């Protein structure tokens, strides 16, 4: 926006600036030329004036001389001179003087003494003030300017012949404003004229002026310095004048006198003021027209440019509405159309990108990011409750491994469609490789379970392709808003947690339970890694042998899982088994352990070492109604007689879910599997309580066996358990046998088996094989 205003402003400035510059330059040139012409003209006029003045003075002189000449012919005068008749002389002088305009007349002798003076009655016998003029008067017309007693006179000296020279007549014509005016009248002199007397060096005074009202007159009233004798520019009383001084002849004893002409440039320029006013008016008019032009151009050019900038800014801000095309054929129209096209393209691309960013490419459903935003939006817009279903297809990771991604993608697409079909109005998204999410806004607990059941039903049918049929094995975790969490992220996480639990349960769906939330970050990642470890075969079983006390032979072994984590090192089973139970991963672990143990047992069987191998089941396994079938399948496949497999189940697990536990145990026992109660004694159950279960063996917990030697009470307890068990038909195994004395005591009270570090620590299958083989040799020996 700013740049466009700048553009308009620059345009305006350029136009107006150009106009003003051109006008100013023109004005300056015109002024300069005019002024120069006026100066030249002024100089010329001054020179002419100076000449005219001199000529006029000469005229005056000649006229005076002529008059005096006539006077000299006057007989009466000559007689009066000859007779020394002063009265007559004076009277004649007066008369003539008046006629020529003289203010004073003198008659002087040839030797320069004054005979008569019209201005001074007592001048007789005094000497004439300018004797050098006497000689000159006889061979040329003599006239000078002289200052006498504060006045300036034009003095004309004329000799008188009778016929010999008898004397001279001196005519004094006072030079004043009147005379100057008179001369101007006669000869067209400039009015800017002053007659200056130099009373003292560089001190001039005007004794006569052409026009006393001008700055010129004011400035020259009393002037200092010298006057130019060539025309030159002078500043006089704040006005410009061209000045020319003409020095006048003066007698030796008189101060210098000069006539000074002035030519006022200001006056000369005055006629041009009209021109200047006209020029200024023109300039103003031009400016106005220029501004109008700029405004029009701004409308025509910068408005559309501004508009385009606004459109561009809008696009930048994410508003991709396509701007209308401009009906113009010029560059701006082309630009506008280009922007329209661009906006449309950007809009399309933006839509594609945002679709890609919020959708899963395989199923076309929203992705996790999008559903999270959707849930957040619902929460913010006041949806009061909702249920989040995390639908996991637990076999998908296996399928990817064995069948590849292509099949898996098709399966997920199919599953996504099935889910959408049964949860009408819910937001369905794909959350991970194997998980879908369904967000049921406004739906509470009970309806959420109904929805989960519908989804489970929909996914119950295997996915089929020609020659392939795949069970999806779905499990659904449910988290309720706002009961479990008030934020989308937390809700998603909780639903995922619940989904883990559901995967490990027989129902295949589960609500989130805060009590067993394994969502401490390290547990979560550990569980992820455990699943990995299971898939990659990073877990292994160690076997701890059981010693039959009656025969002193190793005839059984307990399978104990070992996890050597690539980074964390050996992780004790106590740690990760508890976690696997909480997060629903135990089912896989158990199935894996069963398969590994049964495989090993059947190998030993085949090698002629019929060891009864014990596998630990966890409480949650007892809720797995499929387990018996699964185990049966395994033993059948590996041709292991069921009685060669012991299933250990803790006392506590049995108490926890007695109903389902007894159902599973009944089935297993019915098929001939050996059932052992693990950790007996710590669960505070009674033997009579266990009696309703199909139990074959009791394993007395380590906590009773270890203190045996030192604690007589403990011995009594252990002995009682052994006796009572035997009476109930159970075999007894003592766990945690760490020394010979304990072993001996157990043997003495008729305990059937001992298990513990004193007998052997858990070891690799091969190690146990070697141990048994050695035992065989020993017994043979
Ligand atoms: P458990 O079933 O009571 O297994 C016996 C535990 O006692 C084993 O610990 C074994 O190494 C240890 N033990 C044996 N003899 C002695 C002895 O003389 N002194 C002492 N102090 N300890 C002895 P481990 O291997 O760490 O297993 C711990 C628990 O983890 C097991 O207790 C069992 O509850 C569980 N577990 C191990 N493997 C599996 C499995 O494959 N599945 C299931 N569900 N649980 C398992
Ligand atoms: Ca055990
Ligand atoms: Ca035990």
């Amino acid at each position: 926006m700013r740049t466009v205003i700048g553009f308009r402003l620059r345009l305006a400035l350029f136009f107006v600036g150009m106009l003003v510059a051109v006008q100013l330059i023109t004005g300056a040139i015109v002024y300069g030329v005019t002024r120069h012409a006026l100066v030249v003209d002024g100089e010329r006029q001054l020179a002419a004036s100076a000449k005219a003045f001199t000529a006029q003075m000469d005229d005056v002189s000649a006229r005076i001389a002529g008059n005096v000449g006539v006077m000299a012919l006057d007989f009466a005068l000559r007689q009066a001179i000859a007779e020394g008749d002063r009265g007559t002389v004076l009277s004649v002088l007066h008369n003539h003087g008046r006629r020529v305009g003289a203010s004073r007349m003198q008659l002087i002798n040839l030797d320069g003494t004054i005979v008569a003076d019209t201005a001074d009655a007592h001048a007789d016998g005094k000497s004439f003030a300018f004797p050098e003029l006497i000689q000159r008067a006889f061979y040329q017309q003599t006239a000078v300017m002289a200052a006498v007693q504060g006045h300036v006179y034009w003095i004309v000296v004329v000799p008188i012949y009778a016929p010999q020279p008898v004397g001279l007549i001196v005519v004094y014509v006072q030079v004043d404003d009147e005379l100057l005016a008179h001369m101007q009248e006669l000869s067209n002199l400039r009015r800017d004229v002053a007659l200056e007397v130099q009373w003292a060096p560089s001190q001039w005074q005007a004794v006569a002026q052409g026009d006393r009202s001008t700055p010129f007159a004011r400035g020259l009233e009393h002037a200092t310095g010298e006057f130019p004798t060539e025309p030159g520019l002078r500043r006089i009383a704040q006005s410009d004048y061209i000045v020319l001084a003409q020095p006048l002849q003066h007698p030796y004893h008189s101060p210098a006198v000069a006539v000074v002409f002035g030519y006022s440039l200001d006056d000369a320029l005055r006629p041009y003021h009209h021109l200047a006013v006209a020029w200024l008016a023109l300039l103003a008019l031009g400016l106005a027209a220029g501004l109008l032009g700029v405004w029009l151009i701004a409308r025509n050019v910068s408005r559309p440019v501004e508009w385009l900038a606004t459109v561009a800014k809008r696009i930048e801000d994410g508003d991709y509405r396509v701007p209308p095309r401009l009906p113009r054929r010029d560059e701006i129209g082309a630009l506008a159309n280009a922007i329209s096209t661009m906006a449309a393209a950007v809009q399309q691309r933006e839509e594609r990108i945002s679709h890609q960013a919020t959708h899963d490419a395989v199923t076309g459903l929203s992705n996790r990011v999008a559903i999270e935003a959707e849930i957040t939006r619902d929460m913010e817009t006041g949806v009061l409750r909702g249920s989040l279903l995390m639908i996991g297809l637990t076999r998908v990771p296996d399928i990817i491994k064995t069948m590849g991604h292509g099949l898996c993608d098709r399966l997920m697409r199919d599953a996504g469609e099935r889910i959408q079909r049964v949860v009408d109005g819910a937001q369905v998204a794909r959350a991970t490789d194997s998980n879908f999410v369904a967000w049921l806004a406004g739906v509470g607990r009970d309806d959420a379970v109904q929805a989960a059941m519908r989804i489970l039903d929909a996914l119950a049918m295997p996915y089929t392709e020609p020659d392939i049929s795949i069970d999806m094995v779905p499990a659904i975790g449910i988290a309720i808003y706002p009961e479990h969490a008030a934020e989308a992220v937390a809700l998603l996480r909780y639903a995922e947690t619940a989904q883990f639990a559901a995967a490990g349960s027989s129902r295949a769906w589960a609500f989130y339970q805060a009590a067993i939330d394994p969502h401490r970050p390290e547990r979560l990642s550990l569980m992820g890694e455990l699943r990995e470890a299971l898939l990659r075969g990073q877990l292994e079983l160690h076997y701890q042998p059981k010693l039959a006390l009656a025969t002193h032979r190793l005839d059984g072994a307990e399978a104990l899982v070992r996890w050597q984590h690539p980074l964390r090192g050996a992780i004790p089973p106590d740690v990760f088994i508890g976690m696997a139970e909480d997060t629903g991963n135990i089912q896989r672990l158990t199935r894996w352990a069963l398969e590994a143990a049964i495989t090993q047992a059947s190998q030993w069987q085949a090698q002629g070492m019929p060891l009864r191998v014990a596998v630990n089941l966890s409480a949650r396994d007892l809720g797995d109604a499929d387990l018996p079938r699964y185990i049966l399948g395994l033993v059948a496949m590996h041709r292991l007689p069921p009685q060669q497999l012991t299933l250990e189940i803790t006392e506590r697990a049995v108490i926890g879910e007695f109903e389902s536990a007894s159902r599973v145990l009944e089935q297993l026992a019915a098929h001939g599997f050996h059932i052992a109660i693990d950790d007996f004694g710590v669960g505070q159950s009674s033997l009579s309580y266990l009696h309703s279960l199909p139990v074959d063996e009791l394993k007395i917990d380590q906590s009773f066996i270890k203190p045996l030697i030192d604690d007589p009470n403990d011995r009594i307890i252990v002995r009682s358990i052994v006796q009572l068990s035997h009476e109930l038909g159970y075999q007894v195994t003592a766990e945690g046998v760490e020394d010979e004395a304990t072993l001996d005591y157990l043997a003495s009270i008729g305990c059937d088996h001992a298990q513990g570090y004193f007998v052997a620590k858990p070891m690799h299958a091969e190690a146990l094989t070697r141990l048994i083989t050695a035992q065989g040799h020993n017994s043979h020996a």
Side-chain angles (χ1 to χ4, degrees), residues 558 616 648 678-680 699-702 735:
E558 180 178 358
N616 291 283
E648 292 190 11
D678 203 354
D679 299 348
F680 183 76
K699 296 185 80 175
I700 305 174
D701 192 70
Q702 309 187 1
E735 285 189 304

Side-chain angles (χ1 to χ4, degrees), residues 347-382:
Q347 183 178 17
Q348 275 172 17
R349 206 182 51 196
E350 189 75 10
E351 278 165 5
R352 203 168 59 237
I353 289 173
S354 81
H355 187 270
Q356 281 169 359
T358 54
H359 286 77
D360 169 46
V362 172
T363 59
L365 294 170
S366 302
N367 62 15
R368 190 184 179 116
V369 175
I371 193 80
E372 194 181 307
E374 180 82 20
I375 296 169
T376 304
R377 205 159 36 241
D378 280 353
M379 288 173 174
E380 282 168 0
T381 53

Side-chain angles (χ1 to χ4, degrees), residues 559-572:
L560 295 161
V561 67
R562 292 290 177 264
W563 182 9
Q564 189 66 32
H565 191 281
L567 298 174
R568 301 174 204 249
I571 302 175

Side-chain angles (χ1 to χ4, degrees), residues 61 63 91 190 226 335 343 378 411 415 486 506 530 589 661:
S61 306
R63 193 163 46 81
S91 140
R190 296 198 56 76
E226 295 303 321
L335 184 61
D378 280 353
L411 183 146
S506 51
L530 178 64
L589 186 107

